Amino acid sequence: FEKMKTNIAERKAKFDEKQKERVTKLFDKIFATFDHVAEKLANIDARITAKVTALSARGVDTSEAETKLEAAKDSLNATLAEIASVKETLGGAVNDEMSKEFAKELIQGAKASLKSTHEAYRAVLVSVKTSDDGVEDKVEVENEFETEHADEVEVEDAQ
């Protein structure tokens, strides 16, 4: 009977160890995904910042885009801090007893934060495109004017 209890305890310990390994692998995969998305958002931030700077240098009113960009950057920083907090909390939680619901809430919160940051950058991009479209339209109108009046200039030069 004692041998049976020992065998059950060993199996339970082995099962618990495998369960911890699975959870650790799952968390590592989730964290890798979060890191990848955060890296993409940082890349988007750099590209949009460069675009806003270029438009501003061309004399385009980018005040709306700059305001939205600052809000998006703040959102990105808050998201990165939240991801770091989730990593810290869940990284050491594999050995501790933690409810699945609590871990799920933390992960869902970080995921929602990433999505809201992405939406903030989309809003900035829409604002940048709106600003940029106005400039392109103005340039196209100026080019049409120059093309229409180019014949007149050539005729005047010939006389």
Side-chain angles (χ1 to χ4, degrees), residues 27-120:
F27 286 165
D28 288 345
K29 187 175 180 179
I30 290 169
F31 297 153
T33 301
F34 284 169
D35 288 341
H36 179 71
V37 172
E39 185 179 313
K40 278 183 156 184
L41 287 172
N43 185 10
I44 288 170
D45 176 68
R47 291 188 349 226
I48 290 176
T49 301
K51 181 72 171 176
V52 168
T53 303
L55 286 173
S56 182
R58 287 184 10 207
V60 177
D61 179 24
T62 57
S63 58
E64 180 185 353
E66 289 171 355
T67 304
K68 288 182 180 181
L69 182 59
E70 285 303 313
K73 285 183 180 191
D74 292 343
S75 178
L76 178 61
N77 291 333
T79 299
L80 293 175
E82 184 175 354
I83 289 172
S85 173
V86 168
K87 282 181 180 181
E88 185 178 320
T89 303
L90 294 181
V94 174
N95 296 327
D96 300 338
E97 289 297 320
M98 179 187 289
S99 70
K100 289 181 183 179
E101 290 78 27
F102 180 67
K104 196 172 191 177
E105 285 178 23
L106 288 175
I107 291 169
Q108 292 298 330
K111 190 175 178 181
S113 184
L114 282 169
K115 284 184 179 183
S116 68
T117 301
H118 182 257
E119 288 300 318

